[in-house]
Amino acid sequence: MPKLINRIGVFTSGGDAPGMNACLRAVVRSAHEYSIAVTGILRGYEGMIEGEFSDLDARSVSNILQKGGTILKTARSDRFRTVEGRALAADNVRKHGIDALIGIGGDGTLRGASIFSREHDIPVICCPGTIDNDLFGTDQTIGFDTAINTAIDNIDRIRDTADAHDRLFLVEVMGRDAGFIALHCGIGGGAELVLIPETIQTMDEVKTCILDTMTLQSRSSIVIVAEGDELGGATQIADALKEDDRFAGIELRVCILGHTQRGGSPSASDRVLASRLGKAAVDSLVQGHRNVMVGIVNNRIRLTPSKDVWIHKKSINFDLLKLVELIR
Ligand code: ATP
């Protein structure tokens, strides 16, 4: 028989993602419906170690649904990677009468949660919050939709100037070692080529492809480069192209979209996803589930054991890559 949950601690961790606030709001208000008290933990695992706790009620999360970032703040914590750091965190959690935790973050957050809950027998449910969309067990992560919309908005602007000057642009997007953002931006932004870590392309193949599209189809071109591509980032690839005489007559520019992709008001889709996942996290705790990630697969809530999420790698849809090639 699982222990009764009287108080939940909630935190955001890892990189911030638009929609984390919407998820937090859903957690607090769903818990309220079950008469479960909620404590907010500031700055993720680091705040858990430092004892940065603050009670939250239904009104504390008013007017945050539409805000990017996270009102709980977030952090990356090296101390939480140590046994001693996690023991301090567990002491603080118990001291505040917290029976279970809900964490909103990416795969590192899940790894930490899994280890922590095994060591200290404190249940942790995670909501997938990362712009990278690289988590197994959910079709989409909180923040991904907003991030690709932001990136595509910028790519549209770059397209105007690329076209006006007949330039080649290498646009680098985020995604760590996954190509989900790049792939979706490639399709949504009409890129001529997408370079992602999940596929191996030689520099020669890349050069040939760019030269072909720039001579046969258009005098301008946009190449989307995932930051984790094995050929390097956009700057390194641009350097390699510049060394090749065949690119001598081509005006080449690099644009690294960087942190613009993380910020901003969450899209409608991210708000809905985050709200559904926040409620599902509370429901699953009440139903007695422990140490799982709540996700949505084929539009239905799915619970996946946390350790399975980081053991399995989510694969990209190769049909989408073929689509880029077909319609470029
Ligand atoms: P994003 O995908 O946005 O980067 P993330 O959750 O993957 O988010 P990380 O920095 O990788 O971000 O992880 C968040 C935190 O989780 C780390 O700062 C660390 O405190 C904790 N963490 C990650 N891996 C481990 C681990 N193996 N053991 C203990 N804690 C970990």
Side-chain angles (χ1 to χ4, degrees), residues 5-83:
I5 307 286
N6 293 313
R7 180 175 288 278
I8 292 172
V10 60
F11 62 96
T12 51
S13 163
D16 61 302
M20 281 180 159
N21 283 325
C23 188
L24 168 68
R25 173 176 176 268
V27 167
V28 173
R29 297 209 167 153
S30 306
H32 187 71
E33 286 299 302
Y34 287 111
S35 301
I36 296 174
V38 182
T39 299
I41 301 167
L42 300 181
R43 297 196 307 116
Y45 293 130
E46 193 61 19
M48 210 182 283
I49 293 171
E50 290 290 330
E52 296 173 42
F53 292 62
S54 170
D55 286 353
L56 298 172
D57 61 22
R59 287 188 55 193
S60 343
V61 290
S62 294
N63 202 19
I64 65 166
L65 172 77
Q66 74 284 11
K67 291 188 174 140
T70 158
I71 62 158
L72 289 180
K73 306 218 177 258
T74 184
R76 303 194 196 265
S77 170
D78 284 337
R79 282 198 289 169
F80 196 77
R81 294 175 185 274
T82 66
V83 174

Coordinates of all heavy atoms in Angstrom, one line a residue, residues 5-83:
I5 N 0.0 10.7 0.3 CA 0.7 11.9 -0.1 C 0.0 13.1 0.5 O -1.1 13.4 0.1 CB 0.8 12.1 -1.6 CG1 1.4 10.8 -2.3 CG2 1.6 13.3 -2.0 CD1 2.8 10.6 -2.2
N6 N 0.7 13.8 1.4 CA 0.1 15.0 2.0 C 0.7 16.3 1.4 O 0.1 17.3 1.4 CB 0.2 15.0 3.5 CG -0.6 13.9 4.1 OD1 -1.8 13.8 3.8 ND2 0.0 13.2 5.0
R7 N 2.0 16.2 1.1 CA 2.7 17.4 0.5 C 3.6 16.9 -0.6 O 4.4 16.0 -0.5 CB 3.5 18.0 1.7 CG 4.2 19.3 1.2 CD 4.9 20.0 2.4 NE 4.0 20.7 3.2 CZ 3.5 21.9 3.0 NH1 3.8 22.6 1.9 NH2 2.6 22.4 3.8
I8 N 3.5 17.7 -1.7 CA 4.4 17.5 -2.8 C 5.4 18.6 -2.9 O 5.1 19.8 -2.7 CB 3.5 17.5 -4.2 CG1 2.6 16.3 -4.2 CG2 4.4 17.5 -5.4 CD1 1.6 16.4 -5.4
G9 N 6.6 18.3 -3.3 CA 7.6 19.3 -3.6 C 7.7 19.3 -5.1 O 7.8 18.3 -5.8
V10 N 7.8 20.5 -5.7 CA 7.8 20.6 -7.2 C 9.0 21.5 -7.5 O 9.3 22.5 -6.9 CB 6.5 21.1 -7.8 CG1 6.1 22.5 -7.3 CG2 6.5 21.2 -9.3
F11 N 9.8 21.1 -8.6 CA 10.9 21.9 -9.0 C 11.1 21.8 -10.5 O 10.6 20.9 -11.2 CB 12.2 21.4 -8.3 CG 12.6 19.9 -8.6 CD1 13.5 19.6 -9.6 CD2 12.0 18.9 -8.0 CE1 13.8 18.3 -9.9 CE2 12.3 17.6 -8.3 CZ 13.2 17.3 -9.2
T12 N 11.8 22.8 -11.1 CA 12.2 22.8 -12.5 C 13.7 22.6 -12.5 O 14.4 23.2 -11.7 CB 11.7 24.0 -13.2 OG1 12.1 25.2 -12.5 CG2 10.2 24.1 -13.4
S13 N 14.2 21.9 -13.5 CA 15.7 21.6 -13.5 C 16.2 21.5 -14.9 O 15.5 21.2 -15.9 CB 15.8 20.3 -12.7 OG 17.1 19.7 -12.9
G14 N 17.6 21.7 -15.0 CA 18.2 21.6 -16.4 C 18.0 22.9 -17.1 O 17.7 24.0 -16.5
G15 N 17.9 22.8 -18.4 CA 17.7 24.1 -19.2 C 16.2 24.5 -19.1 O 15.3 23.6 -19.0
D16 N 16.0 25.8 -19.1 CA 14.6 26.2 -19.0 C 13.9 25.9 -20.3 O 14.5 25.9 -21.4 CB 14.5 27.7 -18.6 CG 15.1 28.6 -19.7 OD1 16.4 28.4 -19.9 OD2 14.5 29.4 -20.3
A17 N 12.6 25.8 -20.3 CA 11.8 25.5 -21.5 C 10.5 26.2 -21.4 O 9.8 26.1 -20.4 CB 11.6 24.0 -21.7
P18 N 10.0 26.9 -22.5 CA 8.7 27.5 -22.4 C 7.6 26.5 -22.2 O 7.5 25.5 -22.8 CB 8.6 28.2 -23.8 CG 9.9 28.1 -24.5 CD 10.7 27.0 -23.8
G19 N 6.8 26.8 -21.2 CA 5.7 25.9 -20.8 C 6.0 25.3 -19.4 O 5.1 24.7 -18.8
M20 N 7.2 25.5 -18.9 CA 7.5 25.0 -17.5 C 6.5 25.6 -16.5 O 6.0 25.0 -15.6 CB 8.9 25.2 -17.1 CG 9.9 24.2 -17.7 SD 11.6 24.6 -17.2 CE 12.4 23.0 -17.5
N21 N 6.3 26.9 -16.7 CA 5.3 27.6 -15.8 C 3.9 27.0 -15.9 O 3.2 26.9 -14.9 CB 5.3 29.1 -16.0 CG 6.6 29.8 -15.5 OD1 7.1 29.4 -14.4 ND2 7.0 30.8 -16.2
A22 N 3.5 26.8 -17.1 CA 2.2 26.2 -17.3 C 2.0 24.9 -16.6 O 1.0 24.5 -16.0 CB 1.9 26.1 -18.8
C23 N 3.1 24.1 -16.6 CA 3.1 22.8 -16.0 C 3.1 22.9 -14.5 O 2.3 22.2 -13.8 CB 4.4 22.0 -16.4 SG 4.4 20.3 -15.9
L24 N 3.9 23.9 -14.0 CA 3.9 24.1 -12.5 C 2.5 24.5 -12.1 O 2.0 24.0 -11.0 CB 4.9 25.2 -12.2 CG 4.8 25.8 -10.8 CD1 5.3 24.8 -9.8 CD2 5.7 27.1 -10.8
R25 N 1.8 25.4 -12.8 CA 0.5 25.9 -12.5 C -0.5 24.7 -12.4 O -1.3 24.6 -11.5 CB 0.0 26.9 -13.5 CG -1.4 27.3 -13.4 CD -1.6 28.4 -14.5 NE -2.9 28.9 -14.6 CZ -3.9 28.4 -15.4 NH1 -3.6 27.3 -16.1 NH2 -5.1 28.9 -15.4
A26 N -0.4 23.8 -13.4 CA -1.3 22.6 -13.4 C -1.0 21.7 -12.2 O -1.9 21.1 -11.6 CB -1.1 21.9 -14.7
V27 N 0.3 21.6 -11.8 CA 0.6 20.7 -10.7 C 0.0 21.3 -9.4 O -0.7 20.6 -8.7 CB 2.2 20.6 -10.5 CG1 2.6 20.0 -9.2 CG2 2.8 19.8 -11.6
V28 N 0.2 22.6 -9.2 CA -0.3 23.2 -8.0 C -1.8 23.1 -7.9 O -2.3 22.8 -6.8 CB 0.2 24.7 -7.9 CG1 -0.4 25.4 -6.7 CG2 1.8 24.7 -7.8
R29 N -2.4 23.5 -9.0 CA -3.9 23.5 -8.9 C -4.5 22.1 -8.9 O -5.6 21.9 -8.3 CB -4.4 24.3 -10.1 CG -3.9 25.8 -10.0 CD -4.8 26.8 -10.5 NE -4.4 28.1 -10.1 CZ -4.6 29.3 -10.7 NH1 -5.2 29.2 -11.9 NH2 -4.2 30.4 -10.2
S30 N -3.9 21.2 -9.5 CA -4.4 19.8 -9.5 C -4.2 19.2 -8.0 O -5.1 18.5 -7.5 CB -3.7 18.9 -10.4 OG -3.8 19.4 -11.7
A31 N -3.1 19.5 -7.4 CA -2.8 19.1 -6.1 C -3.9 19.7 -5.1 O -4.4 19.0 -4.2 CB -1.4 19.4 -5.6
H32 N -4.2 20.9 -5.4 CA -5.2 21.6 -4.5 C -6.5 20.9 -4.6 O -7.2 20.8 -3.5 CB -5.3 23.1 -5.1 CG -6.2 24.0 -4.3 ND1 -5.8 24.4 -3.1 CD2 -7.4 24.4 -4.5 CE1 -6.7 25.2 -2.6 NE2 -7.7 25.2 -3.4
E33 N -6.9 20.4 -5.7 CA -8.1 19.6 -5.8 C -8.1 18.4 -5.0 O -9.2 17.9 -4.5 CB -8.4 19.2 -7.3 CG -8.8 20.3 -8.2 CD -10.1 21.0 -7.8 OE1 -11.1 20.2 -7.7 OE2 -10.1 22.2 -7.5
Y34 N -7.0 17.8 -4.8 CA -6.9 16.6 -3.9 C -6.5 17.0 -2.5 O -6.2 16.1 -1.6 CB -5.7 15.7 -4.4 CG -6.0 15.0 -5.7 CD1 -5.3 15.3 -6.8 CD2 -6.9 13.9 -5.7 CE1 -5.5 14.6 -8.0 CE2 -7.1 13.2 -6.9 CZ -6.4 13.5 -8.0 OH -6.6 12.8 -9.2
S35 N -6.5 18.3 -2.1 CA -6.1 18.8 -0.8 C -4.7 18.4 -0.4 O -4.4 18.1 0.7 CB -7.1 18.3 0.3 OG -8.4 18.8 0.0
I36 N -3.9 18.3 -1.4 CA -2.4 18.1 -1.2 C -1.7 19.4 -1.2 O -1.9 20.2 -2.1 CB -1.8 17.2 -2.3 CG1 -2.5 15.8 -2.3 CG2 -0.3 17.0 -2.2 CD1 -2.1 14.9 -3.4
A37 N -0.9 19.7 -0.2 CA -0.1 20.9 -0.1 C 1.1 20.8 -1.1 O 1.5 19.7 -1.4 CB 0.4 21.1 1.3
V38 N 1.5 22.0 -1.5 CA 2.7 22.0 -2.5 C 3.7 23.0 -2.0 O 3.5 24.1 -1.6 CB 2.2 22.5 -3.9 CG1 3.4 22.4 -4.9 CG2 1.1 21.6 -4.4
T39 N 5.0 22.5 -2.0 CA 6.1 23.3 -1.8 C 6.9 23.5 -3.0 O 7.2 22.5 -3.7 CB 7.0 22.7 -0.7 OG1 6.3 22.5 0.5 CG2 8.3 23.5 -0.4
G40 N 7.2 24.7 -3.4 CA 8.1 25.0 -4.6 C 9.6 24.9 -4.1 O 9.9 25.5 -3.1
I41 N 10.4 24.2 -4.9 CA 11.8 24.2 -4.6 C 12.5 25.0 -5.7 O 12.3 24.8 -6.9 CB 12.3 22.7 -4.6 CG1 11.5 21.9 -3.6 CG2 13.8 22.6 -4.4 CD1 11.7 20.4 -3.7
L42 N 13.2 26.0 -5.3 CA 13.9 26.9 -6.2 C 15.2 26.3 -6.8 O 15.9 25.6 -6.1 CB 14.2 28.3 -5.5 CG 13.0 29.0 -5.0 CD1 13.4 30.4 -4.4 CD2 12.0 29.3 -6.1
R43 N 15.5 26.7 -8.0 CA 16.8 26.4 -8.6 C 17.1 24.9 -8.7 O 18.2 24.4 -8.4 CB 17.9 27.1 -8.0 CG 17.8 28.7 -8.1 CD 19.0 29.4 -7.9 NE 19.6 29.1 -6.6 CZ 20.8 28.5 -6.4 NH1 21.5 28.2 -7.4 NH2 21.2 28.3 -5.2
G44 N 16.0 24.1 -8.9 CA 16.2 22.6 -9.1 C 16.9 21.9 -8.0 O 16.7 22.2 -6.8
Y45 N 17.8 21.0 -8.4 CA 18.5 20.2 -7.4 C 19.4 21.0 -6.5 O 19.7 20.7 -5.3 CB 19.3 19.1 -8.0 CG 18.4 18.0 -8.7 CD1 18.7 17.6 -10.1 CD2 17.4 17.4 -8.1 CE1 17.9 16.7 -10.7 CE2 16.6 16.5 -8.7 CZ 16.9 16.1 -10.0 OH 16.1 15.2 -10.6
E46 N 19.9 22.1 -7.1 CA 20.8 23.0 -6.3 C 20.1 23.6 -5.1 O 20.5 23.6 -4.0 CB 21.5 24.0 -7.2 CG 22.6 24.8 -6.6 CD 23.8 23.9 -6.3 OE1 24.0 22.8 -6.8 OE2 24.7 24.4 -5.5
G47 N 18.9 24.1 -5.4 CA 18.0 24.7 -4.4 C 17.6 23.6 -3.3 O 17.4 23.9 -2.2
M48 N 17.4 22.4 -3.8 CA 17.0 21.3 -2.9 C 18.2 21.1 -1.9 O 17.9 20.9 -0.7 CB 16.8 20.0 -3.7 CG 15.8 19.1 -3.2 SD 15.6 17.6 -4.2 CE 14.7 18.1 -5.5
I49 N 19.4 21.2 -2.3 CA 20.5 21.0 -1.5 C 20.7 22.2 -0.5 O 21.0 22.0 0.7 CB 21.8 20.8 -2.3 CG1 21.8 19.5 -3.1 CG2 23.1 20.9 -1.4 CD1 22.9 19.3 -4.1
E50 N 20.4 23.4 -1.1 CA 20.6 24.6 -0.3 C 19.4 24.9 0.6 O 19.4 25.8 1.4 CB 20.8 25.8 -1.2 CG 22.1 25.8 -1.9 CD 23.3 26.1 -1.0 OE1 23.1 26.8 0.0 OE2 24.4 25.6 -1.2
G51 N 18.3 24.1 0.5 CA 17.1 24.3 1.3 C 16.3 25.6 0.9 O 15.7 26.2 1.7
E52 N 16.2 25.8 -0.4 CA 15.5 27.0 -0.9 C 14.0 26.5 -1.2 O 13.7 26.1 -2.4 CB 16.2 27.6 -2.2 CG 17.5 28.1 -1.9 CD 18.2 28.6 -3.1 OE1 17.6 29.2 -4.0 OE2 19.4 28.3 -3.2
F53 N 13.2 26.5 -0.2 CA 11.9 26.0 -0.3 C 10.9 27.1 0.0 O 11.1 27.9 0.8 CB 11.6 24.8 0.7 CG 12.4 23.6 0.4 CD1 13.8 23.6 0.4 CD2 11.8 22.4 0.2 CE1 14.5 22.4 0.1 CE2 12.5 21.2 -0.1 CZ 13.9 21.2 -0.1
S54 N 9.7 27.0 -0.7 CA 8.7 28.1 -0.5 C 7.3 27.5 -0.8 O 7.1 26.9 -1.9 CB 9.0 29.2 -1.5 OG 8.0 30.1 -1.5
D55 N 6.4 27.7 0.1 CA 5.1 27.1 -0.1 C 4.3 27.8 -1.2 O 4.4 29.0 -1.4 CB 4.3 27.2 1.2 CG 4.8 26.1 2.2 OD1 5.6 25.3 1.9 OD2 4.3 26.2 3.4
L56 N 3.6 27.0 -2.0 CA 2.8 27.5 -3.1 C 1.3 27.2 -2.9 O 1.0 26.1 -2.5 CB 3.2 26.9 -4.4 CG 4.7 27.1 -4.8 CD1 5.0 26.2 -6.1 CD2 4.9 28.6 -5.2
D57 N 0.4 28.2 -3.1 CA -1.0 27.8 -3.1 C -1.5 28.2 -4.5 O -0.8 28.7 -5.4 CB -1.7 28.5 -2.0 CG -1.7 30.0 -2.1 OD1 -1.4 30.6 -3.2 OD2 -1.8 30.7 -1.1
A58 N -2.8 27.9 -4.7 CA -3.4 28.1 -6.0 C -3.2 29.5 -6.6 O -3.0 29.7 -7.8 CB -4.9 27.8 -6.0
R59 N -3.1 30.5 -5.7 CA -3.0 31.9 -6.1 C -1.5 32.2 -6.5 O -1.2 33.1 -7.3 CB -3.5 32.9 -5.1 CG -5.0 32.8 -5.1 CD -5.6 33.9 -4.2 NE -5.2 35.2 -4.6 CZ -5.3 36.3 -3.8 NH1 -5.9 36.2 -2.6 NH2 -4.9 37.5 -4.2
S60 N -0.6 31.5 -5.9 CA 0.8 31.8 -6.2 C 1.2 31.5 -7.7 O 2.2 32.0 -8.1 CB 1.8 30.9 -5.4 OG 1.3 30.4 -4.3
V61 N 0.3 30.7 -8.3 CA 0.6 30.4 -9.7 C -0.3 31.1 -10.7 O -0.4 30.8 -11.8 CB 0.6 28.9 -10.0 CG1 1.8 28.2 -9.3 CG2 -0.7 28.2 -9.5
S62 N -0.9 32.2 -10.2 CA -1.8 33.0 -11.1 C -0.9 33.8 -12.1 O 0.2 34.2 -11.7 CB -2.6 34.1 -10.3 OG -3.5 33.4 -9.4
N63 N -1.4 33.9 -13.3 CA -0.8 34.8 -14.3 C 0.6 34.4 -14.7 O 1.5 35.2 -15.0 CB -0.7 36.2 -13.7 CG -0.6 37.3 -14.8 OD1 -0.9 37.0 -15.9 ND2 -0.1 38.5 -14.4
I64 N 0.9 33.1 -14.6 CA 2.2 32.6 -15.1 C 2.1 31.7 -16.3 O 3.1 31.4 -16.9 CB 3.0 31.8 -14.0 CG1 2.2 30.5 -13.6 CG2 3.2 32.7 -12.8 CD1 3.1 29.5 -12.7
L65 N 0.9 31.3 -16.6 CA 0.7 30.3 -17.7 C 1.4 30.7 -19.0 O 1.9 30.0 -19.8 CB -0.8 30.2 -18.0 CG -1.3 29.4 -19.1 CD1 -1.2 27.9 -18.9 CD2 -2.8 29.8 -19.5
Q66 N 1.3 32.0 -19.3 CA 1.8 32.6 -20.6 C 3.3 33.0 -20.5 O 3.8 33.5 -21.5 CB 0.9 33.8 -21.0 CG 1.1 35.1 -20.2 CD 0.5 35.1 -18.8 OE1 0.1 34.0 -18.3 NE2 0.5 36.2 -18.2
K67 N 3.9 32.8 -19.4 CA 5.3 33.3 -19.3 C 6.3 32.2 -19.6 O 6.2 31.1 -19.2 CB 5.5 33.8 -17.8 CG 4.8 35.0 -17.5 CD 5.2 35.6 -16.2 CE 4.4 37.0 -16.0 NZ 4.0 37.2 -14.7
G68 N 7.4 32.7 -20.3 CA 8.5 31.8 -20.6 C 9.4 31.6 -19.4 O 9.1 32.2 -18.3
G69 N 10.4 30.9 -19.5 CA 11.3 30.7 -18.4 C 10.6 29.8 -17.3 O 9.8 29.0 -17.6
T70 N 11.0 30.0 -16.0 CA 10.4 29.3 -14.9 C 10.4 30.2 -13.7 O 11.5 30.6 -13.3 CB 11.0 27.9 -14.7 OG1 10.7 27.6 -13.3 CG2 12.5 27.9 -14.9
I71 N 9.3 30.4 -13.1 CA 9.3 31.3 -11.9 C 10.0 30.6 -10.7 O 10.4 31.2 -9.8 CB 7.9 31.7 -11.4 CG1 7.0 30.4 -11.0 CG2 7.2 32.5 -12.4 CD1 5.8 30.8 -10.1
L72 N 10.2 29.3 -10.8 CA 10.9 28.5 -9.7 C 12.5 28.7 -10.0 O 13.2 28.2 -9.2 CB 10.6 27.1 -9.7 CG 9.2 26.7 -9.2 CD1 9.0 25.2 -9.2 CD2 9.0 27.3 -7.7
K73 N 12.8 29.2 -11.1 CA 14.2 29.3 -11.6 C 14.7 27.8 -11.7 O 14.1 26.9 -11.3 CB 15.1 30.0 -10.6 CG 14.6 31.4 -10.3 CD 15.7 32.4 -10.2 CE 15.2 33.8 -10.0 NZ 15.2 34.6 -11.2
T74 N 15.8 27.8 -12.5 CA 16.4 26.4 -12.7 C 17.9 26.5 -12.6 O 18.5 27.6 -12.6 CB 15.9 25.9 -14.1 OG1 16.4 24.5 -14.2 CG2 16.4 26.7 -15.2
A75 N 18.5 25.3 -12.5 CA 20.0 25.3 -12.3 C 20.5 24.0 -12.8 O 19.8 23.0 -12.8 CB 20.4 25.6 -10.9
R76 N 21.8 23.9 -13.0 CA 22.5 22.6 -13.2 C 23.3 22.5 -11.9 O 24.0 23.4 -11.5 CB 23.3 22.6 -14.5 CG 22.5 23.0 -15.7 CD 23.2 22.7 -17.0 NE 22.5 23.3 -18.1 CZ 21.6 22.7 -18.9 NH1 21.2 21.5 -18.7 NH2 21.1 23.4 -19.9
S77 N 23.2 21.3 -11.3 CA 23.9 21.1 -10.0 C 24.9 20.0 -10.0 O 24.5 18.8 -10.1 CB 22.8 20.8 -8.9 OG 23.4 20.4 -7.7
D78 N 26.2 20.3 -9.9 CA 27.2 19.3 -9.9 C 27.1 18.6 -8.5 O 27.4 17.4 -8.5 CB 28.6 19.9 -10.1 CG 28.8 20.3 -11.5 OD1 28.1 19.6 -12.4 OD2 29.6 21.2 -11.9
R79 N 26.8 19.3 -7.5 CA 26.7 18.7 -6.1 C 25.7 17.5 -6.1 O 25.9 16.6 -5.3 CB 26.4 19.7 -5.1 CG 27.6 20.6 -4.7 CD 27.4 21.2 -3.4 NE 26.4 22.3 -3.5 CZ 25.9 22.9 -2.5 NH1 26.3 22.6 -1.3 NH2 25.0 23.9 -2.7
F80 N 24.6 17.7 -6.9 CA 23.6 16.6 -6.8 C 24.1 15.3 -7.5 O 23.5 14.3 -7.3 CB 22.3 17.1 -7.5 CG 21.1 16.3 -7.2 CD1 20.4 16.5 -6.0 CD2 20.6 15.4 -8.1 CE1 19.3 15.7 -5.7 CE2 19.5 14.6 -7.8 CZ 18.8 14.8 -6.6
R81 N 25.2 15.4 -8.2 CA 25.8 14.2 -8.8 C 26.5 13.4 -7.8 O 27.0 12.3 -8.1 CB 26.7 14.6 -10.0 CG 26.0 15.2 -11.2 CD 26.9 15.7 -12.2 NE 26.2 16.4 -13.3 CZ 25.7 15.8 -14.3 NH1 25.8 14.5 -14.5 NH2 25.1 16.5 -15.2
T82 N 26.7 14.0 -6.6 CA 27.5 13.2 -5.6 C 26.5 12.7 -4.5 O 25.4 13.2 -4.3 CB 28.4 14.2 -4.8 OG1 27.7 15.2 -4.1 CG2 29.4 14.9 -5.8
V83 N 26.9 11.6 -3.9 CA 26.1 10.9 -2.8 C 25.9 11.9 -1.7 O 24.7 12.0 -1.2 CB 26.9 9.7 -2.3 CG1 26.2 9.0 -1.1 CG2 27.1 8.6 -3.4

